[in-house]
Amino acid sequence: MLKTTDTEDLKFIQEAAEFSVIDNCGEHVHYRGLIEFSNICHLDCYYCGIRKSNSGVERFLLKEQEVVDLALWCADNGYGSIVLQSGERKDRKFVDSVIRMVKAIKKQSISEALPEGLGITLCVGEHPKDVYQEMYDAGAHRYLLRIESTNTEIFNTMHPDNQKLSERMECLTWLREIGFQVGTGVMFGIPGQTYDMLADDILFFKKRDIDMIGMGPYIVHKATPLPNDGNQFQVKGDDLVRLSLLMIAITRLVLKDVNIAATTALQTVDPQGREKGLMHGANIIMPQLTPTEQRAKYLLYEDKPCQDDTMEECKSCLGGRIRSVERIVAQNSWGDSKHALKRKHP
Ligand code: 5AD
């Protein structure tokens, strides 16, 4: 199915995926207010614009209070859930800060509309199991850790030797054992990657009983070493858009009741990418909360859209985009995936 190019077949897959998301998850689209609170990163992933070796990036770390205030803005605006994302740091100072922010946000976001406070997703990379446990105990109940590719060879072309696919897999195991709702995902269009590998990635999501998927096309950042060597998924034009939408649609058809994000990267390769993502089975949107003056420093890839939009502008723009595809923005709910809820209450 991933190789489909025929217009009628593509339409058939799109309609099946759209039917599946509405049937399994409902018409609602859930917001996750995305706060990219620091671009300081100790890793050197070959594709990422904020990799340690990119000395062209000015590094920032938001103040804890600033992060808490952004989260509370989300709560006041009915978002229900947030994602705290940053570059990867393993030092205790960083971990303690994340834990303090999670606790403060949890406590201060409780209201009549959100009796259990905001739903908090963390996306802060690989950590030892006991650190994940502390983060969970602090009140985060979801964790995103993209596997990037489940193919060892491809993973290794994307990462330096000190990053191992097996270690990331182990982290996903720990997160699940601890009780997190676990999210993962891959990039498509990596040099050397094949359709078979992407099909295996989808089967991996299924085998690992994953709750949430965030994935998108690989977009070259010129200050990084991973080349775009014109392989079969060359990062240009319609092919990558088609592949991205097929990945979402087929993941929806195979996994059925998980949450799938229509990512910003999708909008980078197609101005209507997020709407198309929703029509192909996605049900999550992550509006940007990162202060506009810091956004330009959080460029994982080039041409990242919405650089200058304030959080208010993101809110109204995304609301319009969602309504344009006849879906409804959920208010004041965590929007846990049906898959995770079924595991909890079979
Ligand atoms: N193109 C697309 N996505 C990227 N990411 C990082 N760099 C790029 C890029 N150049 C994605 C990775 C990472 C997530 C936070 O952003 O999948 O896990």
Side-chain angles (χ1 to χ4, degrees):
M1 280 169 84
L2 282 168
K3 290 181 176 167
T4 308
T5 49
D6 178 78
T7 319
E8 266 178 45
D9 290 346
L10 287 170
K11 180 90 188 123
F12 181 77
I13 294 171
Q14 179 268 315
E15 285 175 357
E18 191 172 35
F19 179 84
S20 177
V21 64
I22 301 215
D23 195 38
N24 288 293
C25 310
E27 287 171 304
H28 284 99
V29 173
H30 299 278
Y31 278 169
R32 313 288 185 227
L34 174 62
I35 307 172
E36 296 149 333
F37 65 91
S38 173
N39 65 355
I40 302 170
C41 191
H42 293 173
L43 297 187
D44 226 3
C45 306
Y46 295 147
Y47 47 85
C48 183
I50 64 166
R51 63 197 300 267
K52 180 175 74 178
S53 301
N54 185 3
S55 54
V57 180
E58 191 191 327
R59 303 289 165 169
F60 74 89
L61 170 66
L62 296 188
K63 292 202 172 62
E64 287 177 22
Q65 188 57 48
E66 207 173 341
V67 175
V68 174
D69 289 345
L70 290 169
L72 296 180
W73 183 92
C74 291
D76 289 344
N77 283 271
Y79 281 16
S81 278
I82 57 158
V83 179
L84 298 183
Q85 189 185 87
S86 73
E88 190 163 320
R89 280 173 56 186
K90 288 192 173 57
D91 52 284
R92 194 63 224 180
K93 202 170 156 201
F94 174 79
V95 171
D96 283 339
S97 169
V98 170
I99 288 169
R100 270 196 305 274
M101 290 190 286
V102 169
K103 284 186 178 162
I105 291 168
K106 252 305 169 219
K107 197 164 145 206
Q108 294 176 42
S109 60
I110 290 174
S111 69
E112 218 169 288
L114 287 172
E116 293 183 88
L118 282 166
I120 303 177
T121 306
L122 288 178
C123 181
V124 293
E126 292 183 26
H127 291 279
K129 189 174 183 185
D130 54 340
V131 169
Y132 283 147
Q133 183 71 57
E134 286 182 75
M135 292 172 172
Y136 184 79
D137 293 342
H141 81 290
R142 306 189 188 109
Y143 204 101
L144 290 177
L145 183 69
R146 286 196 185 177
I147 200 80
E148 312 298 358
S149 170
T150 62
N151 180 280
T152 313
E153 224 171 280
I154 295 295
F155 187 95
N156 290 342
T157 66
M158 298 161 78
H159 300 101
D161 286 348
N162 63 346
Q163 287 177 252
K164 299 267 182 300
L165 179 61
S166 57
E167 289 174 11
R168 194 158 297 194
M169 296 263 188
E170 192 168 35
C171 286
L172 289 174
T173 306
W174 292 336
L175 289 164
R176 167 47 48 75
E177 283 170 359
I178 288 167
F180 278 104
Q181 291 174 25
V182 180
T184 193
V186 294
M187 283 190 282
F188 353 113
I190 302 293
Q193 199 176 33
T194 65
Y195 289 105
D196 279 350
M197 292 174 191
L198 289 170
D200 282 340
D201 290 342
I202 297 177
L203 294 174
F204 169 84
F205 303 152
K206 176 133 181 109
K207 198 171 90 201
R208 284 297 193 114
D209 202 20
I210 289 298
D211 301 303
M212 323 175 295
I213 311 283
M215 55 189 178
Y218 163 55
I219 301 161
V220 177
H221 188 300
K222 62 176 174 317
T224 61
L226 188 66
N228 171 22
D229 65 357
N231 70 104
Q232 61 168 315
F233 298 140
Q234 189 174 16
V235 183
K236 280 252 180 320
D238 291 347
D239 246 7
L240 194 65
V241 177
R242 183 184 53 86
L243 178 67
S244 301
L245 295 172
L246 279 170
M247 276 297 285
I248 291 181
I250 295 166
T251 302
R252 170 61 67 203
L253 292 170
V254 175
L255 275 76
K256 298 188 172 68
D257 55 3
V258 299
N259 280 346
I260 303 179
T263 56
T264 322
L266 197 55
Q267 196 179 321
T268 310
V269 293
D270 183 322
Q272 253 82 56
R274 291 211 255 202
E275 293 89 318
K276 289 184 185 166
L278 294 176
M279 290 173 67
H280 284 76
N283 66 329
I284 300 287
I285 295 250
M286 296 162 76
Q288 286 240 30
L289 271 294
T290 314
T292 40
E293 63 269 30
Q294 315 294 3
R295 275 191 215 167
K297 302 174 199 157
Y298 205 91
L299 292 184
L300 307 182
Y301 45 84
E302 279 157 337
D303 301 324
K304 206 173 159 196
C306 319
Q307 281 310 298
D308 305 316
D309 297 355
T310 62
M311 48 201 192
E312 282 83 6
E313 283 165 345
C314 276
K315 186 183 170 199
S316 66
C317 160
L318 288 172
R321 285 174 188 268
I322 293 165
R323 281 188 296 277
S324 78
V325 291
E326 292 167 27
R327 302 276 279 281
I328 306 164
V329 182
Q331 290 284 323
N332 294 317
S333 76
W334 283 5
D336 288 329
S337 73
K338 295 278 183 296
H339 190 76
L341 295 175
K342 280 183 208 159
R343 185 180 324 100
K344 215 165 138 196
H345 307 289

